[in-house]
Amino acid sequence: MKNNILKINNLKVYSNKNSRFKLVKNISLSLEKGKTTCIVGESGSGKSLTALSVMQLLSPQLNMSGNIVFEGINLLSLTKEEIRKKRGKDIAMIFQEPMTSLNPVLTIGYQIKEAIDVHEKLNKADLSMRVEELLNIVGIPTDRINSYPDELSGGQRQRVMIAMAISCSPKLLIADEPTTALDVTVQAQILNLLHNLKIKYKMTMLFITHDFGVVNDIADDVAVMYQGEIVEQGNVSNVLKNPKHPYTKALLDCVPDSKGKKDLKPIDYSALKRVMG
Ligand SMILES: Nc1ncnc2c1ncn2[C@@H]1O[C@H](COP(=O)(O)OP(=O)(O)OP(=O)(O)O)[C@@H](O)[C@H]1O
Ligand SMILES: [Mg+2]
């Protein structure tokens, strides 16, 4: 039997204003411990809302139902204080846009210290040592410790976010399109870094992307989202070899192969709508 660290059961997310219109429609997904699961889907399909539901960081205009079980505990039954203790410590998240998640008026060293300090009480010297260690781990020269976010490149900023996310050795790392804003070579470096850290620290990773090329590179399992639903999920090689859902097939047709031979086809939405109803 699979050892699942996280189980999302019948998750629904809807706006307070209109509870009948679901933004996330009854999805269920299990993450196997130590594995990377990718959620792939186009913009607006509900990927971030799913991740934010796990973190219990949905905006106040949104509601959710269902349950999210992490290591046997339903996160929805925890108090705010209990969930705050888990967030960052057991489950950490790297957000889509590093510049909006980092505070522009604080140095990166200070912000990494703060991330550690929420969960671990270290003395000043140990805290500084830990920050330097984290900068080394994510590949930022330690002399940048007093830099402000806008003095760093996009890739470096995302490395700072990664340092903060792994600072308390989370068991589950959620990465929400962490490479979307980066150019292709930096994107590959960040993917590599995340993959290596996941193995080194035996983390489970939930990785969100709209790019099947990325899924191919890093995922063990994949869930394909379309308009708030998971339309297909399973082991990545099975899904890639034998996609069953028309949207998965359409997404796969958009991935260039490495030799650039394949004819790329744009997604035919009217055909998809006919199939999906
Ligand atoms: N606070 C909110 N209030 C109302 N609707 C919202 C809110 N946040 C997101 N939505 C809507 O929910 C849907 C899913 O949003 P979500 O952010 O999960 O998409 P996504 O798959 O992460 O897309 P992207 O790839 O562009 O990040 C979208 O239609 C979005 O407009
Ligand atoms: Mg998103």
Side-chain angles (χ1 to χ4, degrees):
M1 209 182 90
K2 287 186 178 170
N3 183 1
N4 292 322
I5 189 167
L6 185 87
K7 277 180 148 187
I8 300 174
N9 299 313
N10 305 108
L11 173 70
K12 299 187 184 85
V13 179
Y14 45 94
S15 147
N16 290 346
K17 289 192 203 115
N18 180 2
S19 64
R20 286 214 307 220
F21 181 72
K22 306 280 185 296
L23 301 165
V24 172
K25 302 169 187 164
N26 210 23
I27 68 162
S28 295
L29 176 69
S30 294
L31 304 192
E32 195 178 343
K33 199 170 178 180
K35 298 272 163 91
T36 296
T37 301
C38 277
I39 298 182
V40 62
E42 65 194 347
S43 188
S45 57
K47 306 181 299 295
S48 293
L49 291 185
T50 303
L52 292 169
S53 302
V54 175
M55 295 298 282
Q56 311 240 336
L57 285 175
L58 284 176
S59 76
Q61 308 98 290
L62 298 176
N63 266 325
M64 62 192 272
S65 69
N67 58 56
I68 298 178
V69 182
F70 177 75
E71 294 189 312
I73 297 168
N74 185 5
L75 296 180
L76 276 66
S77 69
L78 300 181
T79 62
K80 280 197 175 135
E81 187 51 35
E82 287 167 330
I83 194 76
R84 212 171 299 142
K85 279 190 188 142
K86 289 220 172 293
R87 204 187 288 139
K89 177 85 192 95
D90 288 335
I91 310 175
M93 180 158 168
I94 301 164
F95 293 89
Q96 210 161 344
E97 239 317 313
M99 211 44 199
T100 51
S101 313
L102 290 168
N103 188 330
V105 298
L106 299 172
T107 66
I108 59 159
Y110 184 90
Q111 294 187 64
I112 298 173
K113 269 185 198 160
E114 265 192 332
I116 304 169
D117 199 46
V118 175
H119 298 288
E120 272 174 62
K121 292 297 162 218
L122 299 177
N123 65 39
K124 231 177 150 188
D126 286 346
L127 195 54
S128 296
M129 248 168 53
R130 180 82 183 121
V131 174
E132 289 201 4
E133 190 189 336
L134 282 164
L135 288 176
N136 277 323
I137 291 171
V138 299
I140 295 182
T142 47
D143 61 6
R144 304 307 300 268
I145 194 163
N146 292 320
S147 298
Y148 291 89
D150 68 351
E151 295 169 337
L152 301 180
S153 68
Q156 283 174 324
R157 285 199 280 266
Q158 205 47 292
R159 286 173 195 270
V160 173
M161 295 302 299
I162 296 170
M164 288 163 70
I166 64 163
S167 65
C168 292
S169 319
K171 296 171 187 166
L172 172 63
L173 180 64
I174 302 176
D176 186 0
E177 306 208 40
T179 59
T180 310
L182 306 171
D183 71 46
V184 194
T185 44
V186 182
Q187 198 171 342
Q189 290 164 6
I190 298 287
L191 278 184
N192 244 333
L193 173 65
L194 281 169
H195 183 68
N196 293 339
L197 291 173
K198 188 214 94 173
I199 292 169
K200 188 169 171 193
Y201 296 109
K202 300 188 172 60
M203 292 184 288
T204 305
M205 187 149 73
L206 179 62
F207 193 100
I208 293 172
T209 177
H210 54 260
D211 182 349
F212 239 116
V214 171
V215 177
N216 200 7
D217 283 345
I218 63 161
D220 297 297
D221 294 319
V222 60
V224 182
M225 277 190 92
Y226 181 70
Q227 295 188 347
E229 289 177 71
I230 292 181
V231 293
E232 180 154 4
Q233 60 180 303
N235 172 277
V236 73
S237 49
N238 293 344
V239 172
L240 287 173
K241 251 186 260 149
N242 189 15
K244 297 214 160 49
H245 195 276
Y247 178 64
T248 316
K249 288 181 190 162
L251 263 186
L252 283 169
D253 280 337
C254 303
V255 181
D257 79 4
S258 55
K259 297 176 198 85
K261 273 199 253 159
K262 193 151 136 188
D263 289 333
L264 297 184
K265 289 188 214 140
I267 294 181
D268 180 352
Y269 283 98
S270 50
L272 257 181
K273 274 209 185 94
R274 281 197 297 276
V275 187
M276 308 265 313

